[in-house]
Amino acid sequence: DASECGEFPTNYYRRIEYVLMRLKELTIELGGECALIVAELIDSVPNGDLAEQLSDAGIYNYDHILVFKDYTPDELFQVLDSCLRKKSVSFAPQAELHMRNYIKKLSTTEHANARTMEIMSRTIYHRVVLRESGLSHFPKTHQVQMGDVGNLLWNAKKGKIGF
């Protein structure tokens, strides 16, 4: 945990050495009662996987290994749709088709995940409410129209969404 261990050095191999050093310190401090949780993206580790490198360094007793597969584009859309439905928002057919295609493209080029969909849902909701603010009465249920999502652009490097 970065908050527990402080900032990691920027060089990948120094980070491995730092993790090993902190793990040994914590094991001594806590009398062996500790857990190591490793989270990594598939393409983020040079020359192999972090768990393998830790094993090579002598840390090889894993009680549990959890592998989380990437969401499919359909599952990502379900997450987005669920986030919006909590706010009484549904998709118009054309907007739904557009978003399904957009998410399919996004998931092949970026690391799209449930958090991405949650952030996207907030922005879409704000766009819908802004559009509906010009109506004479505010509806109890809302519908995403093509104009709300037609020029959507996700910036994965900044974790932001724009139009």
Side-chain angles (χ1 to χ4, degrees):
D1 178 19
S3 62
E4 174 72 24
C5 300
E7 291 297 316
F8 289 115
T10 56
N11 180 288
Y12 174 79
Y13 296 102
R14 286 188 184 158
R15 285 188 302 183
I16 294 292
E17 292 171 6
Y18 185 79
V19 168
L20 291 171
M21 181 183 70
R22 281 298 291 151
L23 183 61
K24 287 179 183 176
E25 289 173 4
L26 289 171
T27 302
I28 292 168
E29 288 174 22
L30 300 173
E33 297 294 321
C34 61
L36 172 65
I37 299 172
V38 178
E40 61 183 327
L41 295 173
I42 293 170
D43 299 330
S44 67
V45 182
N47 302 319
D49 117 297
L50 179 59
E52 185 176 305
Q53 292 181 23
L54 289 172
S55 175
D56 291 344
I59 301 171
Y60 49 85
N61 290 332
Y62 297 100
D63 292 330
H64 303 286
I65 296 176
L66 304 175
V67 177
F68 297 96
K69 297 186 186 286
D70 289 339
Y71 285 104
T72 66
D74 285 338
E75 290 170 329
L76 288 171
F77 180 80
Q78 288 172 4
V79 171
L80 176 65
D81 189 50
S82 174
C83 290
L84 288 168
R85 286 193 183 280
K86 289 177 185 174
K87 297 175 175 140
S88 300
V89 180
S90 63
F91 280 94
Q94 187 180 13
E96 179 177 335
L97 179 62
H98 174 77
M99 286 308 299
R100 285 183 180 277
N101 290 333
Y102 183 77
I103 290 169
K104 185 175 182 180
K105 180 182 173 189
L106 182 69
S107 66
T108 60
T109 60
E110 304 290 340
H111 290 289
N113 56 33
R115 178 159 165 64
T116 306
M117 296 300 108
E118 197 278 327
I119 293 169
M120 203 175 283
S121 75
R122 283 185 278 168
T123 302
I124 292 170
Y125 176 72
H126 290 143
R127 295 280 299 191
V128 170
V129 170
L130 181 63
R131 176 179 46 80
E132 291 177 343
S133 67
L135 300 175
S136 58
H137 69 284
F138 197 72
K140 291 183 181 181
T141 61
H142 314 279
Q143 190 173 59
V144 179
Q145 300 294 324
M146 185 61 185
D148 300 324
V149 294
N151 54 357
L152 188 69
L153 177 62
W154 174 254
N155 185 340
K157 291 181 181 176
K158 292 185 178 181
K160 295 183 179 178
I161 190 168
F163 292 88

